[in-house]
Amino acid sequence: MNHDEKHQKPKTPTITLRKFTLSDVDAFMSWAADPRVTRFQRRDPYSDPADALAYITTHILPHPWYRAICIDNTPVGSISVKPAPGEDRHRASIGYRLAYDYWGKGIATEALKLTIKAAFEELDHLERLEAIADVDNPASQRVLEKAGFKEEGILRKYVRLKGETRDMVMFSFLVSDAV
Amino acid sequence: MDEEVTLRPCDLADVDDLYEYASDDKVSAWCRWDTYTNKEDLLNYMKTCMIPHPWMRVICYRGRPVGSISVTPYTGADRCRAELGYVLASQYWGKGIATKAVKLTLETVFKDLKDLERVEALVDVENFGSQKVLEKSGFTKDGVLRRFSIHKGMVRDRILYSFISTDPLV
């Protein structure tokens, strides 16, 4: 290969977002059963697909905004937008998870960019998207920065995660940030 | 002055004293609630919210209720944190009473509320009085949360302050 090709970053594969169906349970297990992926999540990895099916049924399908991140229509991760409780409907928080084999390719960043655009278009009154990342999760912090989120500060002892109280970094993306 | 500020649980008999500031527009402007126009509504709020609250105290100055202060924990995985809120009758502003009430709260709340490690407060970017109270009480400014909350119909930027159980009491 020539000099240019050797130093070019591999292109991010084309990704699409779509709603989940029950038949996505096996694809779902490819990240949800992986402790490397669930490390910074509150839940432990799934071991029984029946539990995963129950989660898809009771949590994902009725969720206000939950999408599968797909390559060639096969889910390789998920991304969700959860409106704030009570009257703060102008604010919503983003969470995302990606199967380990698909890390480092720009997929999460691309999924975030698609989600930001869709969320501001589809969710009435939305003005602020926010996301928190563990202080020990620099990969996720980089993904948010690359997608255009702005860091607002470090929230000390913010959440309990697997028996430990963690410091989190708060990020936001305002509807006025999208130019 | 210090010894003159005390905290104690709320009693329904406090309604007359609490109504003095709850009916004051100047006080309610910075609060989530609207100015009270009758004592029955306030009594109802005291019965349903203040008395059963996990951590709520009346602020007394020389033995007389002049405000209230509360620490409201979150639930589940977020139970390590709780939100501080306080209100003070306007004629008692600027005397260091709120600061003293916050300091007294920090001395005991971490023992009173199981699992609590972080007390946080969200303050409007233009509420300079409250920002000073928190800074003088030893809170740290975590950052400005842009367009964070809706206050009386307007979306506002808020400053997030925190005090961790291991932070030094000032």
Side-chain angles (χ1 to χ4, degrees), chain A residues 42 87-88 90-91 127-128 130 150 152-160 165 170 172-174 177, chain B residues 77-81 117-118 120 140 142-150 155 160 162-164 167:
Chain A
R42 283 171 206 173
E87 274 135 44
D88 285 345
H90 70 293
R91 173 163 63 97
E127 292 193 41
R128 171 187 168 94
E130 61 189 29
K150 299 209 192 324
E152 290 176 328
I154 295 180
L155 312 184
R156 303 175 300 154
K157 302 272 188 246
Y158 200 64
V159 288
R160 293 283 291 176
T165 309
M170 171 70 89
S172 69
F173 194 112
L174 302 187
D177 288 344
Chain B
D78 301 332
R79 67 191 180 280
C80 53
R81 72 178 191 272
E117 297 187 52
R118 169 188 171 92
E120 62 183 28
T140 300
D142 287 348
V144 176
L145 307 185
R146 305 177 299 156
R147 312 292 281 168
F148 194 72
S149 41
I150 298 183
V155 180
L160 182 61
S162 66
F163 191 99
I164 305 305
D167 284 347

Side-chain angles (χ1 to χ4, degrees), chain B residues 131-146:
Chain B
Q131 291 166 32
K132 271 207 291 287
V133 166
L134 294 169
E135 282 154 20
K136 286 196 287 183
S137 307
F139 276 73
T140 300
K141 185 167 155 172
D142 287 348
V144 176
L145 307 185
R146 305 177 299 156

Side-chain angles (χ1 to χ4, degrees), chain B residues 15-24 27 42 64 89 91:
Chain B
V15 62
D16 293 334
D17 288 321
L18 266 52
Y19 188 72
E20 277 203 35
Y21 65 78
S23 55
D24 184 352
V27 172
L42 181 58
R64 196 168 158 252
Q91 63 268 42

Side-chain angles (χ1 to χ4, degrees), chain B residues 94-164:
Chain B
K95 297 185 195 322
I97 294 174
T99 303
K100 183 62 187 172
V102 172
K103 288 182 182 180
L104 287 171
T105 298
L106 294 174
E107 280 169 23
T108 65
V109 73
F110 292 105
K111 293 172 232 144
D112 297 338
L113 291 175
K114 190 173 103 74
D115 299 330
L116 185 65
E117 297 187 52
R118 169 188 171 92
V119 173
E120 62 183 28
L122 283 162
V123 183
D124 195 278
V125 288
E126 287 179 13
N127 190 347
F128 305 111
S130 221
Q131 291 166 32
K132 271 207 291 287
V133 166
L134 294 169
E135 282 154 20
K136 286 196 287 183
S137 307
F139 276 73
T140 300
K141 185 167 155 172
D142 287 348
V144 176
L145 307 185
R146 305 177 299 156
R147 312 292 281 168
F148 194 72
S149 41
I150 298 183
H151 181 77
K152 312 228 155 133
M154 307 250 324
V155 180
R156 306 286 304 169
D157 293 350
R158 304 294 219 189
I159 307 178
L160 182 61
Y161 287 90
S162 66
F163 191 99
I164 305 305

